[in-house]
Amino acid sequence: MKLCVFCSANQQIDPDFFQMTEELGRWAAENDHSIVYGGVNMGLMECVAKATKEAGGMTIGVIPTIIEKTGRLSDYVDVELRCDNLSDRKQLMEDHSDVFIALPGGLGTLDEIFTIVAAATIGYHQKQVILYNMKGFWDSLIALLDDLQAKGVVRGEWRDHIKVATKLQDISALLSE
């Protein structure tokens, strides 16, 4: 499978997130999964790519031209998919991935999650979106989604479109369904 990983490009985050991201990258490679990611040489993006490559896996970087211009392109990209902007990037990620896994991240990660989920809710695809809730990182988002559900503004059940995993074994089980 091609696992698209949405995640932070920041370094100043919980060190445990880096350890868990390394485990994910190694596990993906050991289970013949490729990683699709943003192609940046910083934060959890670089971490997952490096771990995947070091374990013998393949990475696919979806790279906006601005990333190249600023010199932030990762050395761990096997296949480069070039794009002009973030909208193109999200579309290429959707087109080239089987599953989406959201690690800790900020505004960009939220944008990616909800773009993919919104597309699923209206029938553009039926691909899984998994929040990897490392150390409760996504707890407040989960509470917000539950609140939106309770207020009736989410059509259907949000958990039909977004799964939650708290450990790597949960991700493995979800991909086996």
Side-chain angles (χ1 to χ4, degrees):
M1 288 184 150
K2 291 180 184 172
L3 311 178
C4 184
V5 176
F6 300 141
C7 59
S8 177
N10 291 329
Q11 292 296 125
Q12 291 74 31
I13 57 177
D14 188 327
D16 290 342
F17 296 160
F18 286 93
Q19 177 193 351
M20 296 172 83
T21 298
E22 286 176 20
E23 291 170 1
L24 175 66
R26 282 194 305 274
W27 172 86
E30 291 164 1
N31 288 277
D32 296 319
H33 301 304
S34 300
I35 295 293
V36 178
Y37 77 116
V40 173
N41 65 359
M42 298 162 46
L44 298 181
M45 279 197 226
E46 183 78 339
C47 180
V48 73
K50 181 179 183 204
T52 301
K53 290 290 297 165
E54 288 178 351
M58 185 177 82
T59 62
I60 301 165
V62 185
I63 305 159
T65 53
I66 197 167
I67 298 300
E68 287 183 282
K69 289 177 186 174
T70 59
R72 294 182 290 161
L73 180 62
S74 174
D75 291 331
Y76 299 102
V77 176
D78 291 312
V79 177
E80 295 180 13
L81 300 177
R82 309 267 181 198
C83 58
D84 292 326
N85 56 55
L86 295 179
S87 294
D88 293 345
R89 183 192 220 181
K90 289 181 289 186
Q91 187 61 58
L92 284 167
M93 288 174 147
E94 180 183 325
D95 293 344
H96 291 274
S97 302
D98 301 308
V99 173
F100 304 90
I101 302 171
L103 309 184
L107 297 176
T109 301
L110 288 169
D111 176 48
E112 291 164 335
I113 293 166
F114 288 112
T115 296
I116 297 301
V117 171
T121 65
I122 57 175
Y124 283 107
H125 66 81
Q126 296 179 346
K127 299 175 184 181
Q128 281 193 85
V129 176
I130 302 169
L131 294 179
Y132 192 175
N133 196 21
M134 296 176 176
K135 295 178 68 176
F137 182 85
W138 293 116
D139 285 353
S140 58
L141 178 62
I142 292 165
L144 173 63
L145 291 168
D146 284 339
D147 185 52
L148 293 172
Q149 186 83 56
K151 290 177 177 167
V153 297
V154 175
R155 193 175 322 115
E157 296 288 327
W158 72 263
R159 289 179 190 270
D160 291 342
H161 301 286
I162 302 173
K163 305 300 181 190
V164 178
T166 58
K167 56 189 180 295
L168 188 53
Q169 293 82 357
D170 297 342
I171 293 173
S172 181
L174 287 167
L175 296 183
S176 298
E177 289 180 355

